[in-house]
């Protein structure tokens, strides 16, 4: 498989997206030599912080296959996926991920007004030490949705 060819395509998609007012990221999902999902960064056009290229490509690929299992597919991204996109790739069991530009290269060469908009520098910190602290509070019934899920799926 020609990984460079697919990465060159994502880079060109990202360039075109910037020219059309979008962000500098693009992604495709390829299965058996065919693109089954594609996306470009539309965060600002849609005022949607989840409109990342990888997420859009994964959504489209899953819809195309009628499945959330992309284990036989490859995700190609113009930039190293952020934690949100990486999480989606794990949930979809993407077979492999190839990317053209590292997050460090992107941060060094792009003039992001807010570095957090591109990558989350405190992702390795303990939940309570993050810029937006994560605080768990024990509540009655917190596990009830999971019990219901199990009941539904074991019937």
């Amino acid at each position: 498989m020609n990984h460079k060819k697919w990465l060159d395509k994502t880079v060109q998609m990202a360039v075109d997206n910037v020219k059309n007012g979008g962000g500098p990221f693009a992604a495709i999902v390829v299965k058996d030599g065919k693109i089954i999902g594609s996306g470009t960064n539309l965060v600002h056009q849609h005022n949607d912080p989840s409109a990342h290229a990888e997420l859009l490509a994964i959504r489209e690929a899953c819809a195309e296959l009628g499945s959330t299992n992309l284990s036989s597919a490859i995700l190609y991204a113009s930039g190293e996926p952020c934690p949100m996109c990486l999480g989606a790739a794990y949930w979809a069991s993407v077979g492999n991920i190839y990317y053209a530009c590292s997050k460090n290269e992107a941060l060094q060469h792009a003039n992001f007004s807010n570095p957090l908009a591109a990558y989350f520098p405190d992702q390795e910190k303990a939940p309570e030490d993050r810029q937006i602290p994560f605080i768990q509070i024990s509540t009655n019934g917190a596990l009830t949705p999971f019990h219901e899920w199990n009941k539904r799926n074991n019937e």
Side-chain angles (χ1 to χ4, degrees):
M1 179 155 305
N2 189 345
H3 303 300
K4 186 178 178 318
K5 172 184 103 172
W6 296 116
L7 286 173
D8 287 345
K9 178 164 184 59
T10 65
V11 169
Q12 186 57 55
M13 288 170 58
V15 169
D16 293 343
N17 196 50
V18 169
K19 290 178 181 178
N20 291 318
F25 300 99
I28 57 174
V29 177
V30 175
K31 178 178 167 55
D32 299 327
K34 178 183 171 215
I35 296 173
I36 59 170
S38 67
T40 56
N41 184 286
L42 300 175
V43 169
H44 298 293
Q45 292 92 319
H46 294 177
N47 294 312
D48 177 358
S50 71
H52 285 206
E54 297 89 341
L55 287 179
L56 298 175
I58 288 169
R59 286 177 188 153
E60 189 174 285
C62 289
E64 173 73 19
L65 295 180
S67 172
T68 58
N69 184 337
L70 298 178
S71 60
S72 60
I74 298 172
L75 173 65
Y76 293 94
S78 62
E80 182 178 352
C82 75
M84 178 176 61
C85 295
L86 188 57
Y90 274 106
W91 270 98
S93 300
V94 169
N96 287 300
I97 300 172
Y98 293 88
Y99 59 92
C101 176
S102 74
K103 66 182 173 183
N104 290 332
E105 290 171 318
L107 288 171
Q108 288 174 357
H109 296 280
N111 229 349
F112 293 116
S113 58
N114 175 359
L116 291 177
Y119 297 98
F120 311 106
D122 64 351
Q123 66 187 339
E124 300 299 322
K125 292 182 181 177
E128 64 276 6
D129 293 332
R130 295 177 182 162
Q131 288 185 359
I132 300 174
F134 286 34
I135 303 162
Q136 182 178 14
I137 297 174
S138 181
T139 60
N140 291 334
L143 298 177
T144 302
F146 303 104
H147 298 306
E148 291 299 316
W149 170 268
N150 289 335
K151 276 197 267 186
R152 186 188 82 195
N153 289 307
N154 289 325
E155 294 177 351

